[in-house]
Amino acid sequence: MADLPESGSNKNRQKKLWDNEDPKKGAGVHKKHGPFSFINPRQFNFSIWYFVVAFFLLTVANQYFVRPPEKSVDYSEFKSLVRSGKIKRVEMAERSLKGYPYTKQQAPAVGKKAGTDSAREGIYRTVPVADPQFTRMMDSTGVEYYAVPQSDGSWMGILVSWVLPFVIMILVWNLITRRMGKMGGGVMEFAQNKARLVAEGDVKTTFADVAGADEAKEELVEVVDFLKNPGKYTEIGGKIPKGVLLVGPPGTGKTLLARAVAGEAKVPFFRMSGADFVEMFVGVGAARVRDLFRQAKEKAPCIIFIDELDAIGKSRAPMAGGNDEREQTLNMLLVEMDGFDSRTGVILLAATNRPEVLDAALLRPGRFDRQVLVDKPDLKGREAILRIHSKDVHLDESVDLAVIARDTAGFAGADLANIVNEAALLAVRAGRAKVSQPDFMEAIEKTIAGLQKKGKLINPKERRIVAHHETGHALTALFTPGSDPVQKISIIPRGFSALGYTIQTPTEDRYLMTKDDLLGKIDVLLGGRAAEQIIFGEVSTGAANDIDKATDIVRRMLTDYGMSEKFGNMVLHSRKGPSFLGDTGPVSREYAESTQQYLDEQTAAIIGQRYRRVLALLTEKKLIIGKIAGILLEKETINESEFREMAGAPKAGA
Ligand code: ADP
Ligand code: ZN
Ligand code: MG
């Protein structure tokens, strides 16, 4: 029975993760899809500055090199210049008059400085006065004149009328093209960008690259076989699971395993991370899902692998106001999963380290109906993983991988790969050509400190408590008549809730339980805490889950199964009020207040009595507890036959 729930702080951390998404991933998403992500900042700056500078230079050039100097004059002087023939051409605007000392034909070529004498004298400029005589006078003297739309030619004018629209245009154009790229073109290009399609034979990873996950491998062998010979299964009419969910703590090799399945089956492998689907624009994630499945069907047989499924698969909020985009994406995923037949040869693999947050709809039959647990490796597994990763590392004779494996209890595969690398770096830093055992020891120490800080590793004292606690469960089960045999004891943390576990497998299917069976179950549940009490003289919070279960059984015996002395054969109903948004209403009982008190007292009495029995039993076995716990600390897992032998019990089945 899994027990020793993670400490309070860990729970909080998990709760936080739930609220905020994975911090690592969250950051990634944010960086990638910031509010202006559709404008690539570098490109954006480049294009704008390019135009601004070019325009500035042109204007300056125009002002100082091309155009002759302008001279402001009074209107009366301007008029007399026209009359005297000095001004041969007049440009009329609403708020300015310009007089050129040459006609259109004489005008200097653009870009060249005016060569004529008159040109060098420059242009006259004035502010017009309401003077209807003026045009008539120009007609009579034969001066060319024409009107232009308003432009006072000032810097501000140029800026407002020319540069600004230009800038705005560039901005808008930039925005539109990026957005289009995201919405339309992006989906087209997505095969290249987002789902890394590894063509047949390209996946080099095989099961040989994965160690210490034998149970998971066994389950996946069938998937590989199906992908290799789909006919074998479809002819018989058998159904292969559509979706396989790899569940396990981070760094245990889930991604590696998925890759290995593709490598073994030699089929294309589409890998996407859940975060890839969570886009800024509503509908894009859903479009990606659709496209992913469409492509996969074309390449069948193949594997779709959705890493970090929890990023899209989080349970949908009970109220409105959740993340619409994520919900749409999830819905599309569900639709696509229902829409394809595993006979098409597409297998969907997914990985998550937080299965508890997944939407229940994802786990229904026909979807991810098969779950494969990828646990942290045990002693042997760790040694094998170390061997794989140190294959290409030069080790000197002092290195003993078995010793390293022993000192790295609780490490995941990724941590071990990291240790090998770290040790190699230490050797290089010391100027040695080969890695030595002390390098490894130093690397382990560093990593342990880091992992403990992150709450991923339990300290040695806690491990001792867990070992004795689990042994207590197992021994109680062994010496409780009618109890299911112990199949496995382990102190490898199960990641999510348990620091250790004891698995009991029933020898046969059971639909009925006698009162003694129930009491036996309670005893086994209390065995963990009793062992702690006996060995350490104090109890820990590790038994919280056990106590919860034991209390529940006792309560049910009294209220549901009619097993109490006073109210035998009578059911004592208590109804929960209607639930509203996850909160349950007040509990209404169909019995007297005094009965409730009786129930509480009886519960306490039964549990107390059972606990005393277990204490007596285990005190007698104190030496055996110590012995088995010691072996457990060293080996981390003990199987059924080993356990029976150590406990001095007859062989199973005898
Ligand atoms: P997860 O997806 O479960 O978080 P990964 O598959 O990404 O873990 O593992 C990260 C790396 O750690 C792998 O690339 C591999 O080098 C190493 N690793 C993890 N588990 C194992 C294992 N069981 N056997 C060999 N290497 C492993
Ligand atoms: Zn327990
Ligand atoms: Mg992974």
Side-chain angles (χ1 to χ4, degrees):
M1 61 223 47
D3 48 13
L4 282 170
E6 289 189 16
S7 64
S9 69
N10 279 356
K11 259 195 192 141
N12 283 342
R13 190 161 45 85
Q14 250 182 359
K15 179 93 175 97
K16 261 233 200 78
L17 289 179
W18 173 324
D19 290 342
N20 299 348
E21 295 192 353
D22 191 296
K24 193 180 67 204
K25 222 181 310 145
V29 168
H30 195 78
K31 207 171 75 209
K32 251 168 67 189
H33 314 295
F36 294 108
S37 64
F38 41 83
I39 300 175
N40 180 336
R42 261 178 59 217
Q43 215 171 327
F44 168 78
N45 282 342
F46 171 74
S47 56
I48 288 294
W49 284 114
Y50 189 87
F51 283 107
V52 166
V53 168
F55 205 88
F56 180 79
L57 287 177
L58 271 176
T59 318
V60 169
N62 191 34
Q63 204 70 15
Y64 286 97
F65 299 107
V66 180
R67 284 192 197 178
E70 280 182 16
K71 193 177 170 201
S72 269
V73 293
D74 291 343
Y75 181 72
S76 55
E77 196 184 339
F78 192 88
K79 211 168 160 182
S80 63
L81 283 167
V82 170
R83 197 178 296 127
S84 68
K86 262 218 157 127
I87 287 175
K88 299 205 171 64
R89 187 155 64 102
V90 174
E91 181 180 295
M92 305 167 79
E94 201 183 323
R95 263 176 274 156
S96 73
L97 288 179
K98 276 189 198 170
Y100 296 86
Y102 42 79
T103 61
K104 201 161 190 178
Q105 284 91 339
Q106 296 165 336
V110 176
K112 270 192 208 148
K113 229 175 154 183
T116 58
D117 278 0
S118 55
R120 217 171 291 132
E121 280 165 33
I123 298 164
Y124 298 94
R125 180 192 178 85
T126 193
V127 181
V129 180
D131 181 2
Q133 305 289 316
F134 186 53
T135 38
R136 209 170 300 146
M137 186 196 80
M138 286 193 291
D139 279 337
S140 60
T141 50
V143 168
E144 289 177 1
Y145 64 95
Y146 57 97
V148 292
Q150 170 54 34
S151 154
D152 57 7
S154 77
W155 279 103
M156 271 315 280
I158 291 170
L159 202 74
V160 172
S161 58
W162 282 98
V163 181
L164 217 61
F166 218 85
V167 169
I168 289 169
M169 247 173 59
I170 292 167
L171 259 173
V172 169
W173 170 74
N174 214 314
L175 235 141
I176 288 174
T177 50
R178 306 250 155 220
R179 209 181 256 249
M180 296 261 287
K182 264 259 144 71
M183 307 283 275
V187 175
M188 310 280 211
E189 289 162 23
F190 122 108
Q192 288 97 48
N193 297 339
K194 291 285 188 171
R196 264 158 288 158
L197 173 61
V198 184
E200 186 165 335
D202 264 358
V203 184
K204 295 278 192 301
T205 314
T206 62
F207 281 146
D209 296 316
V210 191
D214 297 332
E215 286 157 36
K217 268 198 256 180
E218 264 167 44
E219 299 226 26
L220 292 172
V221 162
E222 200 193 351
V223 175
V224 171
D225 193 40
F226 168 76
L227 286 164
K228 274 181 164 168
N229 326 293
K232 194 167 101 187
Y233 292 84
T234 48
E235 264 166 39
I236 258 180
K239 267 211 180 121
I240 219 66
K242 277 185 193 175
V244 180
L245 182 62
L246 302 170
V247 175
T252 46
K254 298 181 294 296
T255 308
L256 192 68
L257 267 170
R259 204 171 276 286
V261 171
E264 289 279 340
K266 296 194 171 40
V267 296
F269 181 68
F270 291 89
R271 174 175 182 253
M272 283 193 93
S273 173
D276 292 339
F277 292 111
V278 185
E279 280 293 332
M280 211 191 126
F281 296 104
V282 172
V284 174
R288 288 223 166 105
V289 171
R290 213 179 311 125
D291 211 62
L292 178 64
F293 278 84
R294 188 181 51 71
Q295 283 201 53
K297 277 178 211 160
E298 282 166 15
K299 297 265 179 196
C302 70
I303 290 175
I304 296 178
F305 177 53
I306 301 178
D307 213 348
E308 329 265 353
L309 180 68
D310 39 284
I312 39 169
K314 254 186 274 180
S315 57
R316 287 163 286 193
M319 282 182 288
N323 182 341
D324 276 349
E325 161 65 351
R326 209 196 59 226
E327 237 165 73
Q328 271 199 22
T329 310
L330 174 56
N331 286 337
M332 183 49 73
L333 180 64
L334 295 174
V335 167
E336 287 290 346
M337 284 192 79
D338 291 342
F340 87 90
D341 192 328
S342 55
R343 275 173 297 180
T344 55
V346 179
I347 294 248
L348 189 58
L349 294 183
T352 181
N353 45 40
R354 292 185 296 147
E356 70 281 356
V357 307
L358 289 183
D359 198 291
L362 272 171
L363 307 175
R364 249 173 241 146
R367 289 166 184 166
F368 288 106
D369 40 10
R370 189 176 294 191
Q371 297 191 26
V372 173
L373 186 69
V374 187
D375 237 336
K376 286 190 184 163
D378 63 0
L379 183 68
K380 266 196 267 158
R382 286 199 301 273
E383 195 181 330
I385 293 174
L386 285 167
R387 190 146 287 134
I388 287 177
H389 286 280
S390 56
K391 206 169 48 197
D392 300 324
V393 178
H394 299 288
L395 308 175
D396 74 12
E397 347 35 88
S398 69
V399 174
D400 187 346
L401 294 181
V403 172
I404 298 166
R406 211 186 54 213
D407 288 348
T408 48
F411 279 42
D415 303 325
L416 294 168
N418 194 34
I419 279 193
V420 174
N421 193 42
E422 192 77 31
L425 289 180
L426 285 170
V428 170
R429 215 171 292 159
R432 275 178 279 113
K434 285 186 173 176
V435 184
S436 68
Q437 187 80 349
D439 292 331
F440 274 105
M441 290 306 157
E442 201 182 327
I444 292 170
E445 257 169 49
K446 264 188 178 171
T447 314
I448 284 182
L451 291 178
Q452 267 175 356
K453 214 182 274 170
K454 282 189 240 157
K456 281 187 177 171
L457 213 61
I458 50 175
N459 67 41
K461 189 177 163 231
E462 285 173 341
R463 270 187 96 229
R464 264 173 59 74
I465 296 177
V466 175
H468 287 90
H469 177 110
E470 295 304 331
T471 308
H473 282 310
L475 279 176
T476 314
L478 187 66
F479 293 107
T480 299
S483 193
D484 295 325
V486 172
Q487 194 199 11
K488 187 177 173 188
I489 320 171
S490 168
I491 56 164
I492 301 171
R494 269 245 149 140
F496 320 117
S497 64
L499 297 178
Y501 52 96
T502 302
I503 300 174
Q504 289 177 274
T505 21
T507 30
E508 59 210 329
D509 284 344
R510 313 196 43 177
Y511 304 101
L512 294 174
M513 290 193 105
T514 65
K515 190 174 172 183
D516 274 350
D517 291 338
L518 290 171
L519 291 175
K521 253 181 157 349
I522 296 166
D523 289 359
V524 175
L525 282 165
L526 295 173
R529 168 160 281 195
E532 287 181 45
Q533 171 82 55
I534 292 163
I535 304 290
F536 301 101
E538 59 179 354
V539 294
S540 75
T541 55
N545 199 356
D546 298 338
I547 292 172
D548 188 6
K549 283 189 200 156
T551 310
D552 189 54
I553 295 175
V554 178
R555 288 241 168 87
R556 280 166 175 274
M557 285 171 68
L558 298 175
T559 60
D560 297 0
Y561 310 142
M563 292 178 181
S564 68
E565 274 164 37
K566 197 165 164 189
F567 299 101
N569 308 327
M570 182 177 160
V571 78
L572 299 170
H573 276 307
S574 55
R575 292 182 207 281
K576 284 190 179 123
S579 71
F580 178 70
L581 296 176
D583 278 336
T584 46
V587 176
S588 57
R589 303 187 181 90
E590 295 180 358
Y591 46 82
E593 198 71 31
S594 59
T595 308
Q596 178 62 42
Q597 195 176 348
Y598 168 82
L599 288 177
D600 288 343
E601 281 163 9
Q602 276 291 297
T603 308
I606 293 174
I607 288 187
Q609 184 197 333
R610 300 320 293 184
Y611 190 60
R612 281 192 295 280
R613 182 195 159 261
V614 176
L615 269 181
L617 169 79
L618 291 183
T619 308
E620 217 175 279
K621 315 279 178 199
K622 192 172 171 178
L623 284 179
I624 300 179
I625 297 179
K627 191 178 93 181
I628 296 178
I631 294 168
L632 198 51
L633 278 169
E634 196 177 305
K635 285 187 56 175
E636 292 167 34
T637 46
I638 296 180
N639 65 27
E640 182 175 5
S641 57
E642 290 167 328
F643 171 66
R644 293 184 77 89
E645 199 189 310
M646 288 175 213
K651 278 211 161 31

